[in-house]
């Protein structure tokens, strides 16, 4: 019996497969299908290589090129919607939108190839077994590996990072988001037998665990390294409120990332980190009752100050970030299967609660509204004055992934 089945039976949670819960899953699946169908229709009026990302001030869908960090989420959402519905039209569209991203297998200009390739081609290969997709993923892993430095023992995230505090420019920044890209490397190692991919992934994860996670299991967003000796030059934030604050989506990336890394390595250090970060998130007194976090856990608090250049100094509203909640919900479903029964039941119940809240009218959009995205009220980057209280394509992706994981349970 699989671990999560043992958990469900032992914890007496089989009631969650009742007709009411099936109704919840079916309702949200049907709604996602409708919104994605509307969005597909809307894309026909746009450039064929424009990928949905968010909305403008008028509530209309806006797009990005394939070279941004987010293009893999739309085809990934189509794959999850196909998996949930078995609708052949959604499968055809998922193939179409995934295969547009083939040139990215050779892209090396930033670290987000995991988001770009694994959310699209990874799901495509998982659901079809097409060997051409496997080969593209392996080449993508090779491209991502070029950004690894054995001195810093990390994959370089951006080519440069300018501090919010002035003109200081760092040339080897590593952001906590980067953990999510390691799944592509683990995949490539498994299908090729080339252990160099796995070595890079584990090395990066170990470095992040030591330098990016605080003793209480909260997290720094950006760690900047000296490439001559591997030492930490600075710990700052790019999208959070302050350098010493905890950016909600960064904490979410850490929970999800270390959960995945434990799955791939079975190294108990990574499980301890994943559970520590999850417990910090769930037990925080600053987490609202509905478990949808504010964009930063320490926004506007005494002892936390944004950099002088950050737009966070101008924002007093404590916006929610639905994308962080969706990521954590998906992660907790998986994490619940790797821990003891009592803790697993806690994580699984938290994931169910979060999923139900996200699927409620408070956060799920009316049909045909919200630029045809599924969820409302996410935050991209308040410091950059960008994507504030809007839908985001990756919030939808992780919501659908969480829904599929819930259905699997």
């Amino acid at each position: 019996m699989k671990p999560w089945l043992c958990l469900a039976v032992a914890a007496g949670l089989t009631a969650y497969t009742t007709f009411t819960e099936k109704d919840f899953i079916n309702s949200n699946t049907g709604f996602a299908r409708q919104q994605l169908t509307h969005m597909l229709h809307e894309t026909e009026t746009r450039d064929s290589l424009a990928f949905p990302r968010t909305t403008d001030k008028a509530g209309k869908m806006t797009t990005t090129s394939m070279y941004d960090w987010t293009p893999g989420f739309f085809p990934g959402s189509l794959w999850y919607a196909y998996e949930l519905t078995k609708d052949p039209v959604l499968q055809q569209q998922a193939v179409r939108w995934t295969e547009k991203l083939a040139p990215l297998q050779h892209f090396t200009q930033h670290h987000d190839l995991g988001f770009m390739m694994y959310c699209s081609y990874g799901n495509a290969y998982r659901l079809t077994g097409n060997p051409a997709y496997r080969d593209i993923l392996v080449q993508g892993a090779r491209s991502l590996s070029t950004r690894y430095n054995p001195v810093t023992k990390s994959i370089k995230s951006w080519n440069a990072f300018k501090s919010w505090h002035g003109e200081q420019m760092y040339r080897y920044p590593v952001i906590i988001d980067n953990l999510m890209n390691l799944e592509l490397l683990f995949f490539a190692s498994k299908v090729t037998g080339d252990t160099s991919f796995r070595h890079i992934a584990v090395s990066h994860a170990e470095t992040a665990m030591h330098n990016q996670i605080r003793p209480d299991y909260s997290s720094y967003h950006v760690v900047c390294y000296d490439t001559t000796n591997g030492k930490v030059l600075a710990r700052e934030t790019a999208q959070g409120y302050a350098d010493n604050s905890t950016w909600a989506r960064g904490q979410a990336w850490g929970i999800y990332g270390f959960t995945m890394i434990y799955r791939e390595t079975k190294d108990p250090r990574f499980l301890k980190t994943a559970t520590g970060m999850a417990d910090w998130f769930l037990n925080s007194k600053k987490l609202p009752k509905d478990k949808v976090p504010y964009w930063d856990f320490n926004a506007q608090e005494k002892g936390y100050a944004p950099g002088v250049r950050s737009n966070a100094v101008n924002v007093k509203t404590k916006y929610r970030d639905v994308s962080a909640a969706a990521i954590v919900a998906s992660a907790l479903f998986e994490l619940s299967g790797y821990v003891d029964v009592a803790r697993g039941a806690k994580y699984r119940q938290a994931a169910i609660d979060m999923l139900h809240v996200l699927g409620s009218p408070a956060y799920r959009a009316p049909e045909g509204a919200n630029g045809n995205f599924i969820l409302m009220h996410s935050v991209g980057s308040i410091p950059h004055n960008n994507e504030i209280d809007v839908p985001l394509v990756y919030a939808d992706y992780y919501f659908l992934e969480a829904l599929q994981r819930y259905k699997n349970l």
Side-chain angles (χ1 to χ4, degrees):
M1 184 179 288
K2 294 184 178 180
W4 54 263
L5 277 176
C6 296
L7 171 65
V9 172
L13 295 175
T14 52
Y16 285 107
T17 60
T18 64
F19 183 72
T20 300
E21 293 304 301
K22 289 179 180 178
D23 274 352
F24 171 79
I25 293 169
N26 290 338
S27 171
N28 281 279
T29 296
F31 177 74
R33 182 183 192 175
Q34 291 172 328
Q35 291 293 87
L36 286 166
T37 299
H38 294 321
M39 187 174 283
L40 285 165
H41 180 72
E42 173 68 17
T43 61
E44 296 300 323
T45 67
R46 310 293 182 95
D47 185 286
S48 63
L49 293 178
F51 290 78
R53 173 157 172 162
T54 184
T55 57
D56 59 19
K57 292 182 179 179
K60 300 296 184 182
M61 180 183 74
T62 62
T63 59
T64 61
S65 79
M66 74 168 71
Y67 299 104
D68 190 23
W69 74 277
T70 61
F73 292 115
F74 181 57
S77 292
L78 292 170
W79 281 115
Y80 274 123
Y82 162 66
E83 187 173 12
L84 285 159
T85 64
K86 306 306 180 188
D87 182 344
V89 174
L90 288 174
Q91 182 186 31
Q92 292 166 7
Q93 291 292 341
V95 168
R96 174 173 169 250
W97 281 88
T98 296
E99 293 182 352
K100 292 180 184 185
L101 297 176
L104 293 178
Q105 64 186 297
H106 301 291
F107 184 73
T108 61
Q109 293 308 301
H110 56 68
H111 71 118
D112 288 308
L113 276 168
F115 287 124
M116 300 154 83
M117 300 295 290
Y118 205 74
C119 295
S120 55
Y121 277 96
N123 281 308
Y125 181 67
R126 179 175 64 85
L127 292 172
T128 69
N130 186 337
Y133 297 162
R134 176 198 61 212
D135 295 345
I136 287 173
L137 286 165
V138 171
Q139 178 54 49
R142 292 193 187 101
S143 296
L144 177 59
S145 297
T146 66
R147 299 186 66 82
Y148 177 75
N149 185 323
V151 177
T152 65
K153 297 182 179 180
S154 295
I155 297 167
K156 186 177 185 179
S157 294
W158 305 317
N159 294 331
F161 166 64
K162 187 176 182 179
S163 172
W164 289 120
H165 301 291
E167 299 304 313
Q168 177 66 50
M169 189 73 75
Y170 296 101
R171 300 296 177 181
Y172 209 99
V174 177
I175 62 176
I176 196 166
D177 321 35
N178 207 336
L179 292 168
M180 302 291 285
N181 297 299
L182 304 183
E183 192 167 11
L184 174 62
L185 299 179
F186 284 119
F187 169 85
S189 186
K190 285 186 292 187
V191 299
T192 65
D194 185 344
T195 59
S196 66
F197 296 119
R198 181 182 177 87
H199 169 74
I200 291 172
V202 172
S203 178
H204 181 100
E206 290 174 333
T207 303
M209 183 172 60
H210 293 144
N211 294 330
Q212 218 130 14
I213 310 305
R214 302 184 183 112
D216 68 351
Y217 292 102
S218 63
S219 54
Y220 293 101
H221 184 200
V222 188
V223 177
C224 304
Y225 292 92
D226 185 329
T227 57
T228 65
N229 55 29
K231 292 184 178 179
V232 173
L233 296 175
R235 291 179 175 89
E236 299 198 7
T237 194
Q239 290 164 264
Y241 184 73
D243 295 343
N244 60 331
S245 71
T246 301
W247 176 48
R249 193 161 65 250
Q251 191 75 7
W253 293 139
I255 296 166
Y256 190 115
F258 283 111
T259 298
M260 173 271 296
I261 295 161
Y262 173 72
R263 179 219 307 152
E264 299 297 335
T265 65
K266 295 299 183 282
D267 186 326
R269 297 175 303 161
F270 297 132
L271 179 61
K272 183 178 179 181
T273 304
T275 57
M277 296 188 77
D279 290 343
W280 188 96
F281 185 99
L282 294 174
N283 297 336
S284 173
K285 294 180 181 179
K286 303 177 183 71
L287 185 68
K289 289 184 179 181
D290 67 2
K291 297 184 176 65
V292 177
Y294 299 109
W295 71 280
D296 191 292
F297 280 89
N298 306 107
Q300 287 97 48
E301 287 190 354
K302 186 178 180 180
Y304 300 88
V308 294
R309 295 177 48 251
S310 171
N311 181 63
V313 301
N314 304 315
V315 176
K316 305 306 179 186
T317 302
K318 293 181 71 174
Y319 291 100
R320 301 295 190 98
D321 185 8
V322 158
S323 73
I327 295 160
V328 171
S330 183
L332 289 176
F333 277 122
E334 178 172 7
L335 186 57
S336 69
Y338 301 145
V339 293
D340 62 74
V341 170
R343 179 176 263 181
K346 173 187 172 182
Y347 290 160
R348 188 169 185 268
Q349 187 60 58
I352 291 169
D353 291 346
M354 295 168 80
L355 197 58
H356 272 266
V357 167
L358 294 178
S360 74
Y363 298 106
R364 200 183 87 175
E367 184 187 351
N370 199 42
N372 295 313
F373 292 92
I374 299 168
L375 300 179
M376 307 179 288
H377 306 310
S378 288
V379 169
S381 180
I382 283 179
H384 293 89
N385 194 25
N386 188 41
E387 299 176 335
I388 302 173
D389 194 25
V390 293
L392 289 168
V393 66
Y394 44 93
D396 288 3
Y397 173 87
Y398 289 103
F399 175 72
L400 289 172
E401 182 179 76
L403 197 65
Q404 179 61 53
R405 288 177 170 184
Y406 188 24
K407 185 177 181 178
N408 288 343
L409 292 176

